[in-house]
Amino acid sequence: MKKEITIAFYLLTTLTIISIVIYNDGLFQKHHNLLIAAVAYIKIILVSYYFMGLNNTHSFWKVSVTGLTGLLLLSSVF
Amino acid sequence: MSHPQTKNIYYPPGGILVWIIIFLELITFGMALTAFTFSKKNEPEIFYQSRLQLNTILGTINTFLLISSGFFMAKAVHQYKEHHPGRFNLFMNLTMLGGLFFILLKCVEYYLKIKNNLLIDTNAFFTFYWLITLFHLIHVLVGLVILVIIKYKFKKQNPAANIENLEAAAAFWHMCDLIWLMIFPVLYLFN
């Protein structure tokens, strides 16, 4: 559990840096918003599952949180 | 008699009530961000130029602060469950420090906006910016107050200090992080 939290933290830090790289890099202009939203979604999953402890709960909560946040991010992209 | 494992499976950490609050807050902020996206389609140039006025560096630092604060909060809960009060206190202090720095940095950002006359009535973009980020900041402030109360109760070994209260406080704090993880890309990074 302790190790999972630490790994999740390092991944979150890395993903934040990746989103800034995508933001500044002209190479990703075509799918700019979608890529940044995808990175943000992965970060939300990591926080929900490993910081909030969603990985030890019933599927209903896992599906609800991931589904809701995914839908909300998607609606902000399109 | 409810089995702890069953309770763990059917009830999210902190209890159903705090998770209902989390869902409602996610929906509220999600709707605000969706409304922002729709408004952007009506005035794309104004929204684009206004977004360039936002300080991405400050926003990124704030993201790191909230992620770190969330990490320390998760560690604090873990240390409490492992019966390490010293480490629990340390991580709670680090959590609150992260939240405090977030608030201070946000105030700096707001000061710079006011100095440059980028106020709530400047244009539609900044109306959304001020409303969404201020509403989020209020949640961070409330979360910080909750953490202070929880820490005080645990210090005094108050009977109300139990793992469910701690997990509920932690869930609320992580919710602030979740919401910021939606706000930051939509307001600061999206083209």
Side-chain angles (χ1 to χ4, degrees):
Chain A
M1 180 66 183
K2 188 179 168 184
K3 213 175 177 178
E4 284 173 353
I5 296 170
T6 310
I7 292 169
F9 172 65
Y10 287 131
L11 280 171
L12 282 163
T13 311
T14 309
L15 288 167
T16 304
I17 295 168
I18 287 171
S19 59
I20 296 302
V21 167
I22 295 170
Y23 172 74
N24 285 313
D25 203 318
L27 274 175
F28 301 106
Q29 281 307 309
K30 197 176 178 188
H31 302 290
H32 180 268
N33 289 358
L34 196 60
L35 279 170
I36 289 175
V39 171
Y41 185 59
I42 295 168
K43 286 161 71 177
I44 286 168
I45 301 292
L46 284 169
V47 169
S48 316
Y49 273 62
Y50 295 105
F51 286 3
M52 296 174 95
L54 213 60
N55 53 346
N56 291 324
T57 57
H58 193 269
S59 310
F60 169 78
W61 299 105
K62 291 176 188 171
V63 170
S64 300
V65 171
T66 52
L68 178 63
T69 49
L71 202 68
L72 293 172
L73 268 176
L74 214 59
S75 66
S76 301
V77 173
F78 298 111
Chain B
M1 182 175 141
S2 67
H3 193 275
Q5 199 67 20
T6 307
K7 185 175 166 60
N8 196 25
I9 288 171
Y10 286 100
Y11 290 88
I16 282 179
L17 181 61
V18 74
W19 278 88
I20 290 172
I21 293 169
I22 289 170
F23 268 86
L24 289 172
E25 297 288 1
L26 284 174
I27 290 168
T28 305
F29 278 94
M31 280 167 56
L33 292 173
T34 307
F36 170 86
T37 307
F38 273 108
S39 290
K40 190 166 71 173
K41 291 188 193 313
N42 292 332
E43 298 173 293
E45 192 54 36
I46 288 174
F47 272 64
Y48 174 73
Q49 293 299 333
S50 299
R51 184 182 60 77
L52 296 177
Q53 305 295 318
L54 295 186
N55 195 321
T56 326
I57 295 169
L58 286 180
T60 308
I61 295 170
N62 267 340
T63 305
F64 279 121
L65 282 172
L66 276 186
I67 287 171
S68 304
S69 188
F71 168 67
F72 292 132
M73 186 73 242
K75 293 284 268 183
V77 172
H78 177 75
Q79 293 302 332
Y80 179 81
K81 287 178 179 174
E82 296 290 308
H83 307 290
H84 294 139
R87 286 182 211 168
F88 164 73
N89 275 323
L90 170 68
F91 285 119
M92 280 296 284
N93 289 338
L94 288 170
T95 304
M96 292 187 288
L97 208 62
L100 193 64
F101 277 124
F102 176 89
I103 291 165
L104 288 171
L105 210 58
K106 207 77 201 128
C107 291
V108 167
E109 198 178 337
Y110 286 155
Y111 168 75
L112 292 171
K113 293 286 170 301
I114 293 167
K115 197 178 164 190
N116 292 324
N117 212 31
L118 298 169
L119 307 172
I120 196 167
D121 57 353
T122 300
N123 57 38
F125 177 90
F126 281 105
T127 304
F128 278 106
Y129 167 81
W130 279 99
L131 287 177
I132 291 172
T133 58
L134 265 175
F135 195 40
H136 175 258
L137 189 67
I138 290 167
H139 283 78
V140 174
L141 273 163
V142 168
L144 206 55
V145 167
I146 291 170
L147 290 179
V148 167
I149 292 170
I150 285 285
K151 189 170 181 286
Y152 176 77
K153 279 191 173 159
F154 274 69
K155 200 173 180 180
K156 292 283 178 188
Q157 290 176 334
N158 191 302
N162 55 44
I163 188 63
E164 267 198 12
N165 286 345
L166 178 62
E167 284 184 331
F172 188 90
W173 189 251
H174 291 307
M175 177 199 73
C176 297
D177 195 2
L178 278 185
I179 291 167
W180 179 256
L181 289 177
M182 289 199 301
I183 291 174
F184 178 59
V186 176
L187 287 186
Y188 288 76
L189 304 182
F190 278 8
N191 274 337

